[in-house]
Amino acid sequence: MITLAPSDDVMVEVRGQVGLITLNRPKALNALSLGMVRSLTATLRAWKDDADVKAVAIRGSTKTGVFGGFCAGGDIRFFHQAALAGNPALEDFFTEEYALNHLIHHYPKPYIAFMDGIVMGGGMGICQGPALASPAGRTGSAPGKPSARQGGVVRLVTEHTKMAMPETNIGLFPDVGGGYFLSRCPGRMGEWLALTGDVIDGATAVTIGLADHLVDAARLPEAWEALATLDWSVADPLGVWAAMFSGVARADSTGARGQIDQYFALDSVPSIVRALEADTSEWAQHTAATLRKRSPLMLHVVLEQVRRARHMTLADDLRMERDMVRHCFFTPH
């Protein structure tokens, strides 16, 4: 039986010993509202202390059913209207959303994200965190029995995944901890993703550490249902479960890792753009043209954000981003 959290846009239930969450705002591509943030927070806090819940899984819905789309981010229309009206709910949204991001990152139980379809902005914020520890106590893409820390994320992507932090396209910056998790991508992939807002596929997400397993989208319903039947008395129930459904990630789709590391390591946005424009390759010319379309001010801000966040804890990064949001949405009245 599915029960409703305080917001009807978030459906929650417990099957077996797994808490299941379905984002249920398909007309808005599951964009997060303040009510949804509060529902997610209340649910996760309740399950955190519930001994009968061993793990949590989250998925999105579409107009035709479940899966096919995860979360397109925060509710931009609400942000715009609230900022113009001086609505204090705007402050509440970001404060509570970032607290939710921190809660998920440090959640004491395994947290499994079915990142099918669109996964952008705030949708990334409710998926990212340290990978679940392996049986040997290592952390990596293969989930297993937790070691000293019982929690950790298991992030599933599919051939339909479209992942991005596209905020510079609308004059904002990659928040929800974006500075933290993008800066920890290999090489200068974080700067590239943050500045351009380019979309990557599931295989690329696995390759650069923003996801853990590539799963055939057709098998997601089976994987979801199987969570309810896990035997938590065995040594590594999630490791066995993931092995059943995980495929081999293909090579990432960027095809330009060397160029990304070379150009996006430069010391300023003008230097990056000039170097790209001097490179006659199709990728470099396309990337330069993309940056020319972004907010010039925010490109400078975002480059500094990512580079500062590389040396920050998640909590410090979220505090920095919270201050940045206030500057972005300040409207004199």
Side-chain angles (χ1 to χ4, degrees):
M1 175 68 70
I2 292 179
T3 58
L4 295 182
S7 165
D8 289 353
D9 295 333
V10 178
M11 301 192 299
V12 303
E13 62 177 323
V14 177
R15 289 190 198 165
Q17 291 184 287
V18 179
L20 303 175
I21 300 172
T22 301
L23 304 179
N24 188 44
R25 197 186 179 203
K27 290 182 180 179
L29 301 178
N30 299 318
L32 297 174
S33 65
L34 180 55
M36 292 171 74
V37 168
R38 288 175 172 171
S39 294
L40 289 168
T41 301
T43 298
L44 290 174
R45 284 178 176 166
W47 286 344
K48 175 174 172 282
D49 300 319
D50 188 337
D52 292 330
V53 176
K54 303 299 185 186
V56 173
I58 186 168
R59 65 181 176 181
S61 62
T62 66
K63 294 179 182 178
T64 58
V66 292
F67 303 116
F70 183 70
C71 174
D75 191 337
I76 296 297
R77 181 176 298 179
F78 161 73
F79 299 162
H80 178 71
Q81 293 173 344
L84 292 179
N87 186 344
L90 184 63
E91 285 274 320
D92 294 339
F93 178 88
F94 287 109
T95 298
E96 296 181 37
E97 183 186 29
Y98 292 5
L100 172 62
N101 302 146
H102 190 270
L103 173 64
I104 291 169
H105 189 93
H106 293 284
Y107 205 63
K109 299 177 180 182
Y111 180 91
I112 307 150
F114 285 67
M115 302 162 70
D116 190 30
I118 292 176
V119 188
M120 297 184 182
M124 287 285 284
I126 57 172
C127 292
Q128 295 301 320
L132 193 65
S134 73
R138 301 182 302 272
T139 56
S141 62
K145 182 181 179 180
S147 55
R149 183 178 183 275
Q150 296 299 306
V153 298
V154 182
R155 299 159 299 178
L156 309 181
V157 288
T158 75
E159 70 274 19
H160 299 149
T161 296
K162 293 179 173 61
M163 181 183 292
M165 295 297 287
E167 287 80 4
T168 58
N169 197 33
I170 56 172
L172 295 175
F173 63 93
D175 64 331
V176 297
Y180 181 87
F181 59 74
L182 290 178
S183 68
R184 283 153 176 80
C185 292
R188 299 296 175 160
M189 298 294 285
E191 280 96 332
W192 167 64
L193 290 171
L195 291 170
T196 64
D198 279 358
V199 177
I200 60 174
D201 61 18
T204 303
V206 172
T207 300
I208 66 175
L210 292 175
D212 303 300
H213 298 280
L214 184 67
V215 177
D216 186 340
R219 299 198 69 194
L220 291 181
E222 180 187 358
W224 182 266
E225 294 299 323
L227 287 171
T229 66
L230 293 183
D231 180 359
W232 293 91
S233 68
V234 302
D236 188 15
L238 281 177
V240 173
W241 172 82
M244 289 174 57
F245 299 101
S246 180
V248 177
R250 301 175 299 277
D252 72 73
S253 63
T254 60
R257 289 286 293 277
Q259 290 166 293
I260 288 171
D261 288 347
Q262 177 185 351
Y263 298 140
F264 285 86
L266 296 174
D267 62 359
S268 69
V269 172
S271 297
I272 293 171
V273 174
R274 283 196 299 268
L276 287 167
E277 289 180 335
D279 183 333
T280 58
S281 70
E282 182 180 354
W283 176 87
Q285 292 297 304
H286 172 79
T287 302
T290 296
L291 292 176
R292 289 290 188 189
K293 297 174 184 176
R294 303 296 184 247
S295 162
L297 172 61
M298 292 312 296
L299 289 180
H300 291 280
V301 169
V302 168
L303 185 62
E304 182 71 14
Q305 172 203 1
V306 172
R307 292 181 174 173
R308 288 192 187 189
R310 188 166 277 129
H311 307 289
M312 289 180 168
T313 65
L314 175 67
D316 286 340
D317 173 61
L318 288 169
R319 290 187 190 101
M320 175 180 71
E321 293 174 6
R322 187 67 190 87
D323 289 339
M324 293 168 68
V325 163
R326 288 193 175 97
H327 288 285
C328 287
F329 284 96
F330 173 74
T331 54
H333 291 283

